Structure formats: structure tokens, C-alpha cells
Amino acid sequence: MAEAVFHPPRKKRRVYESYDSAFPIKSSDGNIYGRDYKICQAEIINSNVVVKNPEDIEQLYSKGFFGKGILSRSRPDYSVSDPVLVAKWQDVSFGMPVVSSEKYQRHVEWAKSLMQEQGLDDYTINTVLQNFTKPLNLREETEQNSESQDKDTPEIEAIGNKPADLMISSESNGDKEHGLESDPPYDPLDNIGPYKFDITDSKTVAKTYLAEQHPPSMHYQLKQDSYTEQKSHIRISNEYNHEYLLIQEEESNVSPAEAAAGSEKSHLVKKEKLVCRRNPFRIFEYLQLSLEEAFFLVYALGCLSIYYNEVPLSILKLWEVFSDAQPNFKATYMAYHYFRSKGWVPKVGLKYGTDLLLYRKGPPFYHASYSVIVELVNDDFEGSLHRPFSWKSLSGLNRTTANVSKELMFCYLVKPSDMTEKEMSSPECLKRIKVQELILNRWVSSSERSEQEEL
């Protein structure tokens, strides 16, 4: 058997991530370094392990690239904002999400469909949506909701079509709850129906609007002449945690009489403006972990606690539940644990027809180097193979792997002949498993002849 030639991993041309130190690894002397993290929480929902807390999501993904966002390609960074519109209005959006009127209308339709499922009549639905999505004057909103506003703080009124210079920041305001698709405790759309949403624990975010110094291109009128400071802090103390959006809408200066008369200028004087409205249907980004990733975080690192119906599951129970949910889980987890311990970042290889993909450092920095097929065998390399290959299927998989600049690896997990099923029912069986790696390369006769001639 020829010796495998290991090729260096291919770096990505553009990297937008900063590498953070991974979770702690136990050294040879028994010390554990870097234990500066808290225990994260996850839930089992429809046989999937989902992390909902934003702090836990950031920690799990940044320290080892565990999981992926359910609304994103990889890092859970979904935003309702349109990047094109954010760049267009970057001077006046001040960090608030900017969306098109068409996208906002889709959120309204989703909220309408949700209330129709609750059995509400059309009149009630239209009334609630009309009141909830009406344009907001941020200055008036501040005055109505603020109970602790300083009396010396002047009122700022925007003149023109551009929004007021207001920034949004977040503060913790006690423990509240928020839902999967909307916020029942805060959302008035939930209080009118007989059904409840899926509720999870989270922290309430109190909106704080900061009226900062205004750009020279915008015109403002200060209603208090004695005001000399350049910044004023206007706090909104609102029990509802609404999401405010800036909607790009078209504005026309043509009078109704001119529009009815069919003025030729009616299609020339239209211009765009930003209107602040509430989001009637909020979408939350969660982190979805593969079963192998979830069990590794629980068993190997001890930094994750998984709940089912609000009850934490033990390691043995998770081993049993995951094995029932995924028939080949025991074998794939053994391989995952092995490669993680070697410093690789394994990810699910379903899109390339394999069990795992191996990344150096993480997907943001390098392309995957290997596509891995995992098989559990006995001492004689025999057993009920999870993927029995014919020469034709094996050649096709190898060709597919080579076309995406990867190498095909077979990871054989060698189980001792005296190991019983009772031992396999516990993750402690990993201590007796041996690993044999085999890299498959396509034999090319022309290359072989040229190498022989050189010798």
C-alpha cells in the first residue's frame, strides 16, 4: 500500500472573520487552560439541537465554529436590513435596519396570515395592523413613552424629508420572554388571539435613542434657545420591545388635483424617503448544531446543557436519544471526536455525499481538505457497512471529490471483537476504539509512467 501524500490546505482569498481562541483543551499535565466561559443552553426541537440565546450563539460559533445559523449560510448574522439600501442611506439611517416597502409588505402579510390562523375576522386584523404599522414620529414617540426624561432636554424637530438623527442602543431590562417568530409578551398582535406562540427565556432589550449632533446637510430647529450642549440623551421607557425599521418609500409633491388631471410632471417629481414603522412580524436567528457537535460540547468540553421539554438531559440519555434519531450517530461521533481532538474543524459533508468535511482552523479561513466516509468495523475490517460501495459508485464519489479540490478519506473505526452491545450503549466505549485512516486517490496511468521514467 502506497504512503499517503498530505497536501497543505487551501486558503480562502477573502477572509472576513477574526480567529478567536477555541474552547479549552486538557493538556498532558492535566491542567485546563482558558476556562473563561459559561455553560450554554440548547433545546431539542423536532430532533434538532437549537441554541436561542444570542450570547450563547456568539460564544459557540466564535470559539470553534460550532453549528450554523438557520437563516444564514454559516455565521448566524442574519439581518432584516437590505445591504444595498443600508449603503444608500448610510448617512441618515444611523444604524437602524433599512428595508424596501415591498419587503416590509411581506412582513405585514405574514402577520396577517398568523392572525387569520388564530381565527380573527378581517376587520380586526386590518384595524390592528393599521394601528401597529402606522408611520412613527420618533420625537413624539419619545415624549409619550419616556417617564424619566430630563426636563432640561430640548425637543428636536426634523424639518424636511429625512429622519431625525437618532441612534439605537440596547440595555438589559430584566428577564422577559420572546417568541420564535414574534414577541407575544410585547407584541399586541398576540394579545388578541386564543393561541400562544412558542415562548423561550431571554432578556428584554430596552430601546435607548440618542439624539446626537446633526450633520450640516440636515436642517433642525431647536425649541429651546438656552440649549448649548451638542448631544442630548432621550430615553424611551417602553414595556414593549418593538423592532423599528426604516422603510424606503416613494414620495410625490404633486397635488391630488394635478394627479387626477394626469399631469405630465407626475412621474418626474417622485422621490424616495425613509419612514419609520414597527415590524409586525419579527424573525429571529438561531444556531443549529449537528448531533455530533452538540454531544461533543456536552461530553468532551462540558460547556453545553441540552434541554428537552425544559428538562436537562444527562450524557447517557443524550447518547441514547441521538443514537435513535440518527442510526449512524455512534460511528460519526467517534470520528468527529477523533478529528476535533486532532485540531480539525469537522462539518457535515452531506452536500458532497460524505459524512464529514475537515477544515483547517474553520470554514471562514480554509476550504475543506478532506471528505470523510466513516465506517465501524471489527478487528478484521469486516462488518455491516453503512455505505457499501460498488466500483462505479466509489469512482463517481472520488471524481466528485476531486472536482471540488478535496481528497476522499475513509475513516475506519476498529471495534474490539470482545466489545459487547452494553458497552456500546455508553460513550465510554470511545476509549477502546482504534482509528485507521485511508486516503483514496485515482490511479492515472500516464502519471505513473512519467514517474517511472524519471526514476
Side-chain angles (χ1 to χ4, degrees), residues 217-267:
S217 60
M218 303 176 64
H219 304 282
Y220 292 88
Q221 176 182 0
L222 299 181
K223 294 185 176 180
Q224 183 173 343
D225 297 336
S226 61
Y227 179 68
T228 57
E229 298 181 358
Q230 293 183 347
K231 295 185 179 180
S232 62
H233 300 272
I234 305 176
R235 185 180 304 277
I236 292 182
S237 178
N238 193 354
E239 60 177 339
Y240 299 118
N241 180 26
H242 299 308
E243 182 181 28
Y244 295 91
L245 305 178
L246 295 178
I247 319 300
Q248 177 180 280
E249 298 179 355
E250 288 188 352
E251 181 185 36
S252 177
N253 293 331
V254 180
S255 63
E258 293 178 350
S263 174
E264 297 180 355
K265 299 181 180 180
S266 59
H267 67 283

Side-chain angles (χ1 to χ4, degrees), residues 128-139:
V128 171
L129 288 177
Q130 184 177 4
N131 293 333
F132 190 77
T133 62
K134 64 182 179 180
L136 299 177
N137 186 315
L138 296 182
R139 180 178 60 84

